[in-house]
Amino acid sequence: MKKTILLLCALTFFGCAEMQQIAAQLPQTGGMLGNADIANGLKEALNNGIDKQVSKLTKMDGFYRNEAVKILLPDELKMVDSRLRAMGLSSLADEGLKVLNRAAEDAVKEATPIFVDAVKQMTFNDAKNILMGNQTAATSYLQNSTSTALYSKFNPVIKNSFSKVGADKVWENIITKYNSIPLVKKVNPDLTDYTTTKAMEGVFKMVAVEEKGIRTNLSARSSDLLKRVFAMQDK
């Protein structure tokens, strides 16, 4: 009888030890998390995207040499580009494309506080569903809920950057030369609007890169809150 009792105790002990080992390997959430905690974790992930990824766009060639976000010419200007190159004005065509990207790089640098403030102001009524959504659900939420307000603030910054980097004069020269060609359909594109839209798309795309990293890479969770919140997603 004593041997049987000892055997049962031993099995119980080793069973508990094994359960503890398994539990230690599971993500630790530190107790139940409310929607406020989840929302704060998602905001932190988005802010990390701004700090780590969007900041890359503000550097020289941040847009121009990044194929993921590089601003290309709108369809209505592709013919302008082709005609300029056919006339031996390739350098002017190249400069036109470059200055669009330079304006975006300068504008994002000036407008970063706008994006930070947008993250602070947003609320998550259904934070848990966003957390359990796809790999860029928080970025999509931010984009869908703030784009209109962001555009109204960001557009004047782009316009100022056009003047600052000389893009307005470059494109005035390009359009004037093109429109002087006989029989061509005259163009007068709103490049401020186009560049604003494309620059914002680039910003959200880079924020999504960081969100996806945090969702899929444990080492990218740089704070206790991120670890606890996204551990819920892992489960």
Side-chain angles (χ1 to χ4, degrees):
M1 178 64 71
K2 288 182 179 180
K3 288 182 179 180
T4 302
I5 293 172
L6 287 172
L7 179 59
L8 289 172
C9 289
L11 288 171
T12 302
F13 173 78
F14 286 117
C16 290
E18 184 179 0
M19 289 297 291
Q20 288 175 344
Q21 185 178 6
I22 293 171
Q25 295 172 357
L26 293 173
Q28 300 300 305
T29 60
M32 293 295 293
L33 292 174
N35 278 2
D37 296 310
I38 296 171
N40 286 333
L42 293 171
K43 287 182 182 182
E44 184 175 336
L46 293 171
N47 279 321
N48 282 0
I50 294 170
D51 291 339
K52 297 178 182 180
Q53 300 295 338
V54 177
S55 60
K56 296 176 182 177
L57 299 178
T58 67
K59 298 175 182 177
M60 178 73 75
D61 291 330
F63 273 89
Y64 191 60
R65 298 293 182 187
N66 184 341
E67 293 301 322
V69 297
K70 182 178 181 178
I71 298 175
L72 304 177
L73 294 179
D75 289 340
E76 65 181 306
L77 291 182
K78 288 178 181 177
M79 180 57 73
V80 175
D81 182 82
S82 297
R83 292 298 292 266
L84 289 176
R85 295 183 190 280
M87 294 167 60
L89 297 173
S90 294
S91 60
L92 182 58
D94 291 338
E95 185 64 15
L97 182 61
K98 184 181 291 185
V99 292
L100 288 184
N101 287 273
R102 289 286 180 266
E105 290 157 9
D106 180 73
V108 171
K109 185 187 307 178
E110 298 297 323
T112 297
I114 295 174
F115 296 107
V116 173
D117 185 61
V119 173
K120 289 179 181 177
Q121 296 301 320
M122 71 178 179
T123 59
F124 284 117
N125 293 324
D126 202 1
K128 196 165 185 178
N129 285 341
I130 294 170
L131 177 65
M132 301 305 179
N134 62 36
Q135 293 183 337
T136 59
T139 304
S140 296
Y141 177 89
L142 176 64
Q143 185 171 6
N144 293 335
S145 61
T146 65
S147 285
T148 301
L150 280 174
Y151 180 95
S152 65
K153 293 180 180 179
F154 196 36
N155 186 259
V157 180
I158 285 284
K159 188 173 183 179
N160 181 63
S161 293
F162 255 64
S163 176
K164 186 175 177 181
V165 305
D168 53 351
K169 290 183 171 58
V170 170
W171 274 99
E172 182 181 355
N173 186 23
I174 289 174
I175 297 302
T176 299
K177 285 185 181 299
Y178 179 78
N179 285 342
S180 67
I181 300 172
L183 304 178
V184 301
K185 181 181 179 180
K186 304 298 187 273
V187 295
N188 185 28
D190 186 349
L191 286 176
T192 303
D193 170 75
Y194 176 76
T195 307
T196 300
T197 301
K198 290 299 180 182
M200 287 177 59
E201 287 177 5
V203 167
F204 289 123
K205 187 172 288 187
M206 296 304 287
V207 173
V209 167
E210 185 66 20
E211 181 188 353
K212 186 175 180 180
I214 291 172
R215 284 182 180 273
T216 59
N217 184 359
L218 295 178
S219 63
R221 300 170 190 177
S222 54
S223 73
D224 180 63
L225 180 60
L226 287 177
K227 290 174 184 175
R228 294 172 64 212
V229 168
F230 285 94
M232 294 178 65
Q233 170 213 258
D234 296 338
K235 289 182 178 180

